[in-house]
């Protein structure tokens, strides 16, 4: 089995490598190719990857290359984890929206739109080259904004499934609080990428007992602290929102906070410099503990599980993924991409039935889906007016004066990545 990681020079990659090594029985990789244009980073990451495999007695071959076409040739699955513009672009995404009094964040709001505009054309080009090299290969997208990018891939006819680590993070957290194996925890996880709620936590599978009320009663303070939301909010909702909902539920508070401290991008950039120095140590043969602070917890387990199921192996029968709605949420079009529990196999992902959503959640989901429609149109066709309309539609912007100012800033900061600009 050959698997290719595009963006293989990412500091995330050793987390992925560690999972491939530990879970080799689930996903028996014989060849792993790391593709990245950043040769120096790729050499450091590739060297550590080989040492991790060697330490754990994994017999798979690891190669590195900057040649995308060679790297994806013959691959059974291609995992996308790229960042167009690098941390420098992320730094901009997180700062210039604050000038208009809006949240600066890399996956939602104005910054998230900027990332989508930079990313969608690049991902579609990669996917087309994958299709030419091997039309049967699956594409697993971990590249943010996952919902928009996955929708672009699916609408272009690619064999693609989107993946995020938020759900598996909740699964592992709740399993620890309950004292059960993670595989015993089934989430009623529903919404859009980075806009989801856990409406039930079931032990033993989709039909198991819902233990969420007890979890909130006994561990509500811990869960609320992790989400940085007040405990009474969770008690009144009776659900666990993803931590990205804080940008919506406490927008003004978040904007004030972001204006008084270094950006997350600056923190990550400093962390990456330290990680890359560690990766260059020939004695290092395991992922360093610092990597846990980088983000992407349990990403490797989720990626292995999904790839194994898509490739006919031993993955879990039900997984939280990003895929076409296809009537699952009746208030959305079929070709909207939702994030929910799905049955995953060699034919792809099929969402499980979802109980009707409270208007409190359905309304925000519908609003953001409309924004994503406009964002994808702007990413595919370009133009200032399309960018403006997408921003005006986003509930974290929503006023024409803000949308105007943000449009100008977005184009100015991203001109080198936007062919139409």
């Amino acid at each position: 089995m050959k698997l290719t990681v595009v963006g293989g020079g990412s500091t995330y990659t050793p987390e992925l490598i560690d999972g491939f090594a530990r879970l080799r029985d689930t996903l028996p990789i014989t060849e792993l190719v790391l593709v990245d244009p950043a040769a120096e980073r790729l050499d450091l990451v590739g060297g550590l990857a080989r040492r991790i495999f060697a330490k754990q007695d994994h017999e798979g071959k690891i190669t590195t290359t900057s040649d995308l076409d060679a790297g994806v040739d013959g691959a059974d699955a291609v995992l996308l984890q790229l960042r167009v513009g690098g941390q420098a672009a992320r730094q901009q995404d997180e700062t210039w929206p604050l000038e208009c009094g809006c949240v600066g964040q890399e996956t939602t709001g104005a910054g998230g739109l900027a990332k989508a505009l930079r990313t969608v054309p690049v991902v579609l080009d990669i996917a087309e080259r994958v299709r030419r090299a091997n039309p049967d290969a699956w594409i697993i997208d971990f590249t943010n904004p996952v919902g928009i990018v996955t929708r672009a891939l699916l609408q272009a006819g690619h064999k693609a499934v989107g993946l995020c680590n938020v759900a598996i993070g909740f699964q592992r957290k709740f399993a620890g609080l309950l004292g059960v194996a993670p595989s015993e925890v089934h989430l009623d996880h529903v919404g859009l990428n980075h806009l989801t709620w856990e409406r039930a936590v079931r032990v033993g599978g989709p039909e198991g007992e819902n233990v969420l009320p007890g979890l909130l009663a006994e561990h509500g303070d811990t869960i609320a602290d992790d989400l940085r939301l007040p405990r009474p909010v969770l008690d009144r909702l009776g659900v666990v929102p993803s931590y990205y909902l804080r940008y919506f539920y406490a927008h003004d508070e978040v904007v004030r906070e972001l204006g008084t401290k270094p950006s997350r991008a600056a923190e990550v950039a400093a962390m990456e410099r330290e990680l890359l120095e560690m990766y260059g140590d020939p004695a290092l043969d395991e992922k360093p503990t610092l990597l846990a602070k980088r983000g992407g917890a349990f990403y490797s387990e989720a990626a292995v599980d999904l790839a194994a199921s898509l490739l006919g192996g031993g993955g879990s029968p039900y997984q939280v993924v990003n895929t076409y709605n296809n009537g699952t949420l009746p208030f959305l079009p079929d070709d909207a991409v939702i994030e929910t529990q799905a049955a995953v196999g060699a034919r792809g992902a099929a969402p499980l039935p979802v109980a009707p959503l409270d208007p409190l959640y359905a309304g925000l989901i519908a609003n953001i889906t409309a924004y994503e429609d406009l964002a994808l149109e702007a990413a595919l066709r370009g133009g200032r007016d399309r960018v403006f309309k997408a921003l005006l539609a986003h509930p974290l912007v929503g006023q024409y004066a803000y949308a105007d100012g943000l449009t100008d800033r977005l184009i100015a900061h991203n001109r080198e990545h936007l062919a139409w600009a």
Side-chain angles (χ1 to χ4, degrees):
M1 179 185 298
K2 178 178 178 179
L3 193 145
T4 299
V5 179
V6 178
S10 168
T11 53
Y12 271 135
T13 299
E15 159 71 23
L16 193 61
I17 301 299
D18 178 72
F20 290 158
R22 288 185 293 103
L23 303 171
R24 73 195 76 174
D25 292 338
T26 303
L27 188 68
I29 297 171
T30 55
E31 182 178 2
L32 177 65
V33 183
L34 306 180
V35 179
D36 203 293
E40 185 175 353
R41 288 172 62 107
L42 189 59
D43 286 345
L44 294 173
V45 173
L48 175 56
R50 294 184 187 96
R51 294 193 297 274
I52 291 173
F53 264 32
K55 181 179 182 180
Q56 300 196 33
D57 297 322
H58 195 298
E59 296 179 355
K61 175 185 177 183
I62 295 179
T63 59
T64 60
T65 181
S66 59
D67 186 334
L68 175 67
D69 294 318
V72 302
D73 186 39
D76 296 291
V78 177
L79 197 153
L80 305 181
Q81 58 170 32
L82 57 146
R83 181 184 293 279
V84 179
Q87 292 298 331
R90 177 179 180 172
Q91 169 71 15
Q92 293 176 353
D93 293 344
E94 293 180 350
T95 52
W96 54 262
L98 297 174
E99 298 170 7
C100 295
C102 296
V103 160
Q105 211 278 330
E106 65 158 341
T107 64
T108 192
L113 176 60
K115 194 172 197 301
L117 298 183
R118 293 193 304 268
T119 304
V120 166
V122 174
V123 165
L124 288 178
D125 176 67
I126 292 169
E128 192 56 42
R129 292 160 73 174
V130 171
R131 178 155 53 189
R132 288 199 301 265
N134 184 5
D136 292 326
W138 278 102
I139 295 175
I140 297 173
D141 179 60
F142 194 70
T143 296
N144 282 317
V146 168
I148 295 173
V149 173
T150 302
R151 188 169 182 180
L153 287 165
L154 290 173
Q155 288 186 350
H158 297 289
K159 292 177 60 178
V161 180
L163 181 65
C164 180
N165 69 315
V166 167
I168 195 172
F170 276 129
Q171 181 198 45
R172 299 306 171 92
K173 176 71 174 180
F174 296 154
L177 294 174
L178 293 166
V180 300
S183 60
E184 289 293 301
V185 175
H186 182 92
L187 304 176
D188 179 1
H189 175 107
V190 65
L192 310 177
N193 180 239
H194 291 183
L195 193 85
T196 52
W197 297 263
E198 312 303 329
R199 298 189 301 168
V201 178
R202 303 188 184 278
V203 176
E207 306 302 322
E209 177 190 2
N210 177 22
V211 299
L212 180 57
L215 262 177
L216 288 174
E218 187 173 353
H219 301 288
D221 288 342
T222 297
I223 296 169
D225 286 347
D226 287 347
L227 300 174
R228 300 188 63 205
L229 288 171
R231 166 72 184 271
V233 172
L234 300 191
D235 291 337
R236 294 171 71 181
L237 293 177
V239 303
V240 178
S242 99
Y243 47 86
Y244 288 92
L245 265 298
R246 186 169 183 261
Y247 296 114
F248 296 83
Y249 293 165
H251 174 274
D252 294 351
E253 178 184 341
V254 172
V255 169
R256 288 192 294 270
E257 287 177 3
L258 293 175
T260 61
K261 65 179 185 179
S263 68
R264 175 62 178 165
E267 295 175 356
V268 170
M271 207 178 302
E272 286 199 332
R273 289 191 291 271
E274 188 174 352
L275 284 169
L276 289 170
E277 185 175 346
M278 291 179 177
Y279 295 172
D281 179 357
L284 183 67
D285 56 7
E286 60 186 13
K287 64 178 183 180
T289 55
L290 177 62
L291 187 55
K293 298 180 181 180
R294 171 67 179 82
F298 309 116
Y299 162 38
S300 60
E301 283 90 341
V304 167
D305 208 15
L306 179 54
S309 293
L310 293 174
L311 298 175
S316 304
Y318 306 117
Q319 299 171 43
V320 173
V321 298
N322 286 261
T323 191
Y324 270 151
N325 177 47
N326 281 337
T328 307
L329 301 181
F331 56 89
L332 295 184
D334 285 349
D335 67 349
V337 166
I338 63 172
E339 183 171 291
T340 191
Q341 286 279 3
V344 183
R347 298 179 64 182
L352 300 183
V354 170
L357 267 70
D358 187 294
L360 178 62
Y361 315 125
L364 187 52
I365 290 170
N367 189 336
I368 293 296
T369 297
Y371 151 75
E372 290 187 348
D373 289 345
L374 295 168
L376 184 53
E377 182 76 1
L380 294 174
R381 301 180 62 191
R384 187 188 189 281
D385 285 350
R386 293 188 180 92
V387 174
F388 170 80
K389 289 177 181 177
L391 288 168
L392 189 62
H394 202 295
L396 296 184
V397 180
Q399 299 183 51
Y400 74 84
Y402 288 171
D404 247 341
L406 289 167
T407 298
D408 291 338
R409 287 169 172 81
L410 185 156
I411 294 172
H413 284 285
N414 291 275
R415 198 176 299 277
E416 67 179 295
H417 300 292
L418 306 176
W420 52 268

